[in-house]
Amino acid sequence: MTWRQNSKKERPHFTSNHRGHKPHRNDIRKFVRFFRIFIPITICLNIIGLFTVFSWIGRPAQFGIVIIVLLIGFIGSRFQRNFEGKIVHPIEKLKKGMSEVAEGNLDIEVKVDTHNDVGHVISSFNQMVRKLKESEQLKQEYEENRKLLVTNISHDLKTPITSIQGYIEVLQDGTILSDKKKSQYLDIIWKNAQYMNKLIDDLFLFSKLDMQKLDFDIEEVEINPFMADLSEEYKFDFHEKGLEYIFSDLTEHTKVVKVDRKRLHQSIQNIVSNSLKYGDNENLQVEMILSSFENEIKITIRDNGKGITKANVERIFERFYRVEDARTKNLESTGLGLSISKELIEAMGGKIEVESELGIGTSFHIYLRVMNTTN
């Protein structure tokens, strides 16, 4: 992904080089003006000429000739109006719209009711402008994300570095410290160094995902035994912490999905870790449910934590976003875990959703396409 700098939110300005080209001539408008003058003059000359040549013919014949000439003039006028309405005016609107786009106005839309070739060209022009506008908006979003990414990285790296420097200075300034105090300081330095290392690893992974350069080892995996083995690991870890973990397999048969085992494990691990970080450490319960419907397998990871507000739920997968009202550094969280989970799941052809209710808990749902079913 290439970030393009566009610090000033201005309209894009498109320029063209007319050097060496002749000045623009509005030939169509000149032709229409000529046509407007030519038709009535032609009618008048025809009437005079016919009256002169056929003056010897009786009045009824003269009257009939006049009617024919007037009818021809009427048909010519109708043709002129149709030509202007279906060709000239739409082309002028298109010309004006192109000038607006050249000046950077991508909010323009040429209105036209004709359904001929000119109308088709104008519809294609409107579609092109919409795509240009979407491209500019996407570029601005990339620029804003880049700035936010740099700001967050600077913040998240500066805090542990400052902490490490502070404790090292205390250890080096000759202050007499007890062995217990030294051990505490070294432990803090170690945790901050671990946090920095994890942050750098997550940034490296996320950047490869963003550039679509992360290699995946996709294979057919029987999801039921895979989740059962994974759950055994979680049960042991939760038991060590005095917490409860439950795994339920609601599928009737073994389901096969095409995923990268390592990346799927990483995605689920980030979600479970998120529940551990922000849940109630005393009464936390995490339940993993495997279910299926139609041609999809659904992995639900549900906890009984404090829940997330609606505003936070809408931003839960944003980079560096943390649920806390005040942005504080959590040495167990880089703020990239859930974003990475989403990117990994979508890269493997799946999708992830979240729902939460304050005081009740949070549920993450991972959907993966089923390849086949075996008894």
Side-chain angles (χ1 to χ4, degrees), residues 8 35 44 46 51 60 79 118 121 199-200 206 224 275 311 375:
K8 296 183 179 178
F35 202 56
C44 292
N46 285 335
F51 264 100
F79 172 78
V118 176
V121 170
L199 176 61
I200 292 172
F206 202 95
N224 305 71
S275 296
N375 295 326

Side-chain angles (χ1 to χ4, degrees), residues 1-13 135-136 138-147 150:
M1 187 66 65
T2 302
W3 301 104
R4 300 178 182 175
Q5 188 171 358
N6 184 19
S7 57
K8 296 183 179 178
K9 293 185 178 179
E10 299 176 347
R11 287 177 175 177
H13 183 70
S135 177
E136 287 297 320
L138 186 60
K139 186 170 70 173
Q140 289 182 4
E141 289 177 5
Y142 283 159
E143 174 62 17
E144 291 174 0
N145 287 336
R146 184 191 67 82
K147 292 178 180 178
V150 171

Side-chain angles (χ1 to χ4, degrees), residues 166-177:
Y167 284 105
I168 289 178
E169 288 176 1
V170 172
L171 292 172
Q172 290 180 334
D173 66 2
T175 303
I176 299 176
L177 300 171

Side-chain angles (χ1 to χ4, degrees), residues 71-270:
L71 183 62
I72 294 173
F74 174 76
I75 294 173
S77 299
R78 291 286 298 179
F79 172 78
Q80 174 191 341
R81 286 195 295 269
N82 287 336
F83 180 76
E84 289 188 42
K86 295 183 178 181
I87 304 295
V88 178
H89 295 326
I91 289 178
E92 289 182 340
K93 290 180 181 179
L94 178 61
K95 176 185 173 183
K96 183 178 179 181
M98 295 177 69
S99 298
E100 289 285 336
V101 172
E103 293 298 322
N105 180 15
L106 298 181
D107 294 321
I108 189 71
E109 182 178 1
V110 179
K111 302 291 184 180
V112 62
D113 297 327
T114 57
H115 302 286
N116 53 18
D117 291 339
V118 176
H120 178 71
V121 170
I122 293 176
S123 297
S124 300
F125 169 78
N126 289 333
Q127 185 178 5
M128 179 197 70
V129 174
R130 285 193 294 269
K131 289 184 177 180
L132 280 173
K133 184 177 180 180
E134 291 173 0
S135 177
E136 287 297 320
Q137 289 174 343
L138 186 60
K139 186 170 70 173
Q140 289 182 4
E141 289 177 5
Y142 283 159
E143 174 62 17
E144 291 174 0
N145 287 336
R146 184 191 67 82
K147 292 178 180 178
L148 182 61
L149 187 65
V150 171
T151 301
N152 288 330
I153 292 173
S154 301
H155 177 278
D156 282 28
L157 283 176
K158 184 177 181 179
T159 304
I161 289 174
T162 302
S163 178
I164 290 173
Q165 288 177 332
Y167 284 105
I168 289 178
E169 288 176 1
V170 172
L171 292 172
Q172 290 180 334
D173 66 2
T175 303
I176 299 176
L177 300 171
S178 63
D179 291 340
K180 182 179 179 180
K181 210 66 175 176
K182 290 180 181 178
S183 179
Q184 288 177 347
Y185 289 174
L186 290 172
D187 184 58
I188 293 173
I189 292 172
W190 172 250
K191 287 182 178 179
N192 277 280
Q194 280 186 314
Y195 169 78
M196 292 170 59
N197 188 55
K198 188 176 188 307
L199 176 61
I200 292 172
D201 288 342
D202 284 352
L203 284 170
F204 181 70
L205 174 61
F206 202 95
S207 64
K208 294 188 72 173
L209 278 168
D210 206 28
M211 294 185 294
Q212 298 182 350
K213 292 185 177 181
L214 183 66
D215 295 328
F216 286 83
D217 184 16
I218 303 295
E219 58 180 320
E220 294 188 359
V221 176
E222 292 185 347
I223 194 65
N224 305 71
F226 175 84
M227 294 302 301
D229 292 342
L230 191 61
S231 293
E232 287 299 319
E233 297 179 17
Y234 289 138
K235 284 181 181 179
F236 177 80
D237 293 338
F238 273 67
H239 180 73
E240 289 291 311
K241 298 176 181 178
L243 304 174
E244 185 177 7
Y245 175 86
I246 302 172
F247 173 65
S248 301
D249 186 351
L250 305 181
T251 61
E252 296 181 357
H253 306 288
T254 299
K255 307 294 182 179
V256 177
V257 296
K258 291 191 73 172
V259 294
D260 183 319
R261 294 174 181 266
K262 178 182 176 181
R263 302 308 180 187
L264 179 58
H265 184 184
Q266 186 175 9
S267 301
I268 296 173
Q269 177 62 43
N270 288 343

